[in-house]
């Protein structure tokens, strides 16, 4: 796959992850319809883990939910290990 395409995808999905964390926080404050937690996790799993993790701390959102505080970093670590394996071992 083209490295530029992968880089563009990762930038977009992480920007999206950061944005939906901010949007969900705003909606929470305004008592409006919320973005489902499974959508937040799916975005993270699809490559947006750095963005959603940044959103957790930037917007102070979901910081009381252990599954976000532990789950998002775990997803990011797993993705980094997979990327490292692909780059060094050619898996």
């Amino acid at each position: 796959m083209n490295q530029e395409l992968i880089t563009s995808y990762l930038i977009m999905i992480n920007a999206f992850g950061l944005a939906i964390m901010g949007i969900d926080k705003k909606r929470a404050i305004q008592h409006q319809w919320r973005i489902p937690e499974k959508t937040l996790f799916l975005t993270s799993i699809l490559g947006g883990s750095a963005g959603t993790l940044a959103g957790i701390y930037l917007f102070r959102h979901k910081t009381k939910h252990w599954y976000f505080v532990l789950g998002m970093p775990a997803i990011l670590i797993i993705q980094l290990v997979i990327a490292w394996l692909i780059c060094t071992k050619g898996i």
Side-chain angles (χ1 to χ4, degrees):
M1 209 177 232
N2 187 340
Q3 188 173 356
E4 289 179 13
L5 182 62
I6 294 170
T7 301
S8 296
Y9 171 76
L10 289 173
I11 289 169
M12 288 187 302
I13 193 74
N14 280 285
F16 179 72
L18 179 65
I20 63 172
M21 291 301 283
I23 292 167
D24 193 51
K25 174 67 174 195
K26 183 178 179 182
R27 288 180 178 177
I29 292 169
Q30 296 175 344
H31 304 287
Q32 294 179 341
W33 176 84
R34 304 282 302 280
I35 296 170
E37 290 182 349
K38 64 183 174 183
T39 302
L40 301 174
F41 270 102
L42 181 61
T43 300
S44 184
I45 290 167
L46 292 176
S49 56
T52 53
L53 185 60
I56 286 173
Y57 293 102
L58 180 64
F59 302 115
R60 294 187 185 126
H61 188 49
K62 302 287 188 186
T63 57
K64 294 182 181 178
H65 299 277
W66 66 268
Y67 45 92
F68 275 90
V69 174
L70 298 176
M72 293 297 179
I75 293 169
L76 178 59
I77 290 168
I78 291 167
Q79 290 173 339
L80 290 172
V81 168
I82 291 169
W84 178 79
L85 288 171
I86 290 170
C87 289
T88 61
K89 310 288 186 199
I91 296 175

